[in-house]
Amino acid sequence: MRPDTLRIAALLLDYPDRELYAMTPQLTAAAERIPERHGRGELLELLAHRARIGEHAAQEEYVATFDFHKRASLHLSYFRDGDRRQRGATLLGLKRRYREAGFELKGGELPDYLPAILEFAALVPGDASREILGRMRPGIELLRASLHDLASPYARVLDAVVSVLPSLT
């Protein structure tokens, strides 16, 4: 796995507030250092798109994509558990794994939030992150397919993420 690809993807899949949008040039420079086969082109595509449309339009596009399409949820346990009781157990298990690894969730976000999972995998590489990514891989693939169906530029970020994950068995 490539921590740099995962870290940039985590930032690109988070809401592009003023501070994050202002980081576009730095994120672009960091993405340019990633090898092509590890998602470089895919990440640069979204970064160029964001720079082209501007901050306000990038925020509107994010909300339109992730807040109004149930199949485009960034909360991956939804794909696995729906709104059933099992989802609570999944969230608690993720929270426990993060705590054991010394990883702190910021801003009260749920532990199944894809940017949090990707940040964890980038900052705490090893068995714990591989296990979590493996467990959440079906949700990542379903989200990726949904974003492609919506012709969303965010689909390319998921393509970059998948390019650095172990292949499906």
Side-chain angles (χ1 to χ4, degrees), residues 56-85:
H56 185 69
Q59 292 168 347
E60 286 179 349
E61 181 176 63
Y62 183 92
V63 169
T65 301
F66 296 113
D67 292 353
F68 294 118
H69 294 284
K70 202 172 196 176
R71 291 181 38 223
S73 175
L74 289 169
H75 294 278
L76 296 182
S77 68
Y78 176 79
F79 292 103
R80 181 182 148 129
D81 304 321
D83 286 329
R84 297 185 328 251
R85 188 184 202 152

Side-chain angles (χ1 to χ4, degrees), residues 31-52:
E32 287 172 343
R33 292 189 295 272
I34 295 172
E36 188 59 45
R37 71 180 198 279
H38 292 127
R40 174 181 172 205
E42 291 87 345
L43 297 173
L44 288 173
E45 213 173 291
L46 181 67
L47 286 159
H49 171 73
R50 263 195 191 168
R52 195 170 43 256

Side-chain angles (χ1 to χ4, degrees), residues 143-165:
L143 173 59
R144 179 177 171 219
S146 293
L147 292 173
H148 275 290
D149 288 348
L150 294 169
S152 168
Y154 286 99
R156 301 296 283 151
V157 177
L158 273 285
D159 292 341
V161 168
V162 168
S163 79
V164 299
L165 296 180

Side-chain angles (χ1 to χ4, degrees), residues 5-6 26 28 42 48 68 88 99 103 107 121 134 138 144 160 165:
T5 299
L6 297 176
Q26 296 94 319
T28 300
E42 291 87 345
F68 294 118
R99 194 173 31 250
F103 181 74
R144 179 177 171 219
L165 296 180

